[in-house]
């Protein structure tokens, strides 16, 4: 039991790290686009070199070490017959010979039973279907996510992105039929209230503090793009979970990198043709100082490479709903980064009330999950 508890703890720790790094995404994206020292920059011009760096890094890693999912997946099979109901055996199977089933019984049963079903290698048509669907979801997510960062404050992006706990359980329940962990809806509702308080505090009808940020049409456009990005992201997370026997995490990320590069380059060419000015502006933004270079490194290496790859592993271990329930952490990281890096601080006390609600809810949820894992 302690081994399974340790695995669960590691998965939760990986989830927290992933959300923390992703929380910096709107901060560094906004730094490189809307707040560039050289002036506003087309988000796609920033996206392209960041994705190229990620492609090269993952390619270099794959040359030195095969992805774990290509080597083997350890599956614990517990017999269901009455004669050996408590007998367990560890089996190592090639990834292409295994299909990982969602451990729904973990939430619905007092035992830690997990059943594995083996099958032959996934068919070529199935691989193609997964690759096409994944590439569409990943490219749509990336383009809408980065574009929204250029339109509104980074902590607004983090705020909307933190609505993921509302969508993740619904997606997982509807598509996979997975039972939800105890207390999840309470955490979702409480954190949603906190996020709504933060949003309401920015409207011109509340408080009206001098110097406080007031929502504009650009904020609304950025918010709608980010909401679309969140919905697409939740669909992508379901695919991350269900494609465990088809593609490894690094393979999925390389596919998404290729798809995003194709879409971003097409958009730039359609909008700008052969003009060199957008590329020159992008280069000036990326090389305009140590802060901009650091933002690019965080975006390309931290977010697009490490956090993206680890996210697949975390979701496959915990499930989309549990992983998504920690999304409020991104709000806190986004707020801190927005304040310290972009000089866009929280302006009034009502926003701090909302932040306090989100932080308290997240702390309770992490504590309760840790307590449950230890029992």
């Amino acid at each position: 039991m302690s081994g399974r508890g340790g695995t669960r703890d590691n998965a939760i720790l990986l989830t927290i790290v992933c959300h923390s790094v992703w929380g910096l995404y709107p901060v560094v994206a906004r730094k490189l686009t809307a707040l560039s020292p050289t002036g506003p920059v087309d988000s796609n011009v920033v996206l392209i070199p960041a994705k190229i760096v990620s492609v090269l890094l993952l390619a270099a890693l794959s040359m030195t070490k095969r992805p774990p999912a290509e080597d083997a997946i350890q599956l614990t099979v517990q017999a269901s017959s009455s004669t050996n109901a408590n007998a367990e055996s560890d089996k190592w199977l090639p990834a292409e010979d295994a299909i990982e089933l969602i451990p729904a019984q973990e939430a619905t049963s007092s035992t830690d039973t997990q059943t594995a079903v083996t099958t032959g290698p996934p068919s070529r048509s199935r691989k193609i279907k997964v690759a096409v669907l994944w590439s569409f979801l990943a490219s749509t997510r990336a383009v809408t996510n980065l574009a929204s960062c250029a339109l509104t404050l980074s902590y607004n992006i983090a705020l909307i992105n933190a609505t993921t706990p509302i969508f993740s359980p619904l997606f997982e329940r509807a598509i996979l039929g997975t039972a939800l962990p105890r207390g999840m809806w309470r955490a979702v509702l409480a954190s949603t209230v906190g996020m709504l308080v933060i949003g309401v505090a920015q409207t011109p009808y509340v408080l009206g503090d001098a110097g406080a940020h007031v929502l504009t049409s650009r904020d609304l456009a950025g918010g709608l793009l980010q909401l679309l990005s969140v919905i697409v992201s939740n669909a992508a997370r379901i695919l991350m979970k269900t494609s465990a026997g088809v593609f490894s995490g690094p393979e999925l990320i390389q596919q998404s990198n290729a798809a995003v590069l194709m879409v971003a380059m097409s958009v730039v060419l359609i909008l700008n043709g052969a003009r060199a000015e957008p590329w020159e502006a992008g280069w000036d933004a990326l090389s305009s100082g140590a802060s901009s270079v650091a933002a690019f490194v965080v975006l390309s290496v931290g977010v697009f490479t490490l956090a993206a790859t680890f996210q697949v592993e975390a979701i496959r271990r915990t499930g989309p709903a549990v992983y998504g329930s920690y999304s409020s952490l991104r709000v806190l990281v986004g707020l801190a980064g927005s304040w310290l890096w972009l000089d866009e601080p929280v302006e009034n006390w009502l926003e701090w009330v909302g932040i306090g609600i989100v932080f308290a809810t997240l702390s309770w949820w992490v504590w309760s999950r840790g307590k449950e894992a230890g029992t």
Side-chain angles (χ1 to χ4, degrees):
M1 191 70 165
S2 60
R4 185 168 178 82
T7 301
R8 201 180 279 160
D9 289 342
N10 292 337
I12 296 303
L13 179 60
L14 190 62
T15 296
I16 292 173
V17 171
C18 286
H19 280 304
S20 298
V21 177
W22 276 104
L24 288 174
Y25 179 90
V27 177
V28 295
R30 185 165 173 79
K31 171 67 178 176
L32 294 171
T33 55
L35 301 182
S36 169
T38 59
V41 177
D42 182 355
S43 58
N44 290 293
V45 175
V46 172
L47 184 62
I48 291 170
K51 283 294 184 180
I52 290 176
V53 170
S54 179
V55 167
L56 295 176
L57 284 175
L58 287 173
L61 290 174
S62 67
M63 292 175 64
T64 58
K65 181 181 179 180
R66 295 179 65 196
E70 289 184 359
D71 295 332
I73 295 176
Q74 187 180 24
L75 300 172
T76 302
V77 182
Q78 182 168 345
S80 58
S81 64
S82 58
T83 57
N84 58 352
N86 296 320
E88 292 188 0
S89 61
D90 291 338
K91 296 184 178 181
W92 289 84
L93 301 174
E96 62 268 18
D97 293 336
I99 290 182
E100 181 181 0
L101 296 184
I102 306 302
Q105 52 269 57
E106 181 179 322
T108 58
S109 172
S110 60
T111 65
D112 285 320
T113 306
Q114 185 171 353
T115 304
V117 176
T118 60
T119 184
S123 65
R124 183 182 182 87
S125 62
R126 186 185 177 200
K127 282 190 170 184
I128 292 175
K129 289 177 182 178
V130 171
V132 171
L133 180 57
W134 169 254
S135 298
F136 169 75
L137 293 173
S139 57
T140 303
R141 161 72 166 166
V143 172
T144 55
N145 203 9
L146 196 59
S148 64
C149 294
L151 295 174
T152 187
L153 301 181
S154 57
Y155 63 77
N156 282 337
I157 296 297
L159 171 68
I160 297 170
N161 195 51
T163 60
T164 293
I166 299 175
F167 293 101
S168 291
L170 298 178
F171 272 64
E172 188 168 347
R173 182 68 175 173
I175 298 176
L176 303 178
T178 307
L180 304 179
R182 292 190 300 270
M184 172 172 284
W185 281 116
R186 282 179 287 174
V188 169
L189 292 175
S191 60
T192 301
V193 169
M195 291 182 288
L196 287 175
V197 170
I198 297 173
V200 169
Q202 295 180 35
T203 65
Y205 309 106
V206 178
L207 297 182
D209 288 2
H213 178 74
V214 177
L215 293 178
T216 65
S217 58
R218 286 177 59 85
D219 291 304
L220 294 177
L224 288 174
L225 280 175
Q226 184 61 207
L227 183 60
L228 173 61
S229 183
V230 166
I231 294 173
V232 171
S233 176
N234 278 280
R237 289 175 183 180
I238 296 294
L239 193 57
M240 289 180 198
K241 181 71 176 179
T242 57
S243 63
V246 182
F247 294 113
S248 68
E251 287 173 336
L252 281 181
I253 302 307
Q254 283 291 52
Q255 290 175 23
S256 68
N257 284 339
V260 171
L261 278 173
M262 292 177 60
V263 171
M265 292 181 70
S266 299
V267 170
V268 172
L269 290 175
I270 292 172
L271 296 179
N272 302 287
R275 292 191 304 116
E277 288 85 352
W279 300 103
E280 293 173 353
W283 172 253
D284 290 340
L286 298 179
S287 59
S288 58
S291 181
S292 296
V293 173
F296 181 75
V297 171
V298 171
L299 182 65
S300 58
V301 179
V303 178
F304 288 159
T305 304
L306 299 179
T309 304
F310 294 157
Q311 177 179 246
V312 177
E313 177 65 19
I315 288 173
R316 286 177 175 176
R317 290 188 188 185
T318 65
V322 173
Y323 179 85
S325 67
Y326 288 83
S327 292
S328 297
L329 181 60
R330 299 191 186 194
V331 176
L332 304 178
V333 175
L335 284 165
S338 182
W339 181 16
L340 299 175
W341 202 339
L342 305 182
D343 194 25
E344 294 178 341
V346 175
E347 297 288 356
N348 62 54
W349 66 267
L350 188 57
E351 288 181 88
W352 283 113
V353 171
I355 294 168
I357 294 173
V358 171
F359 182 77
T361 303
L362 181 63
S363 299
W364 170 80
W365 177 248
V366 172
W367 173 81
S368 64
R369 291 296 297 167
K371 183 178 179 181
E372 181 180 334
T375 58

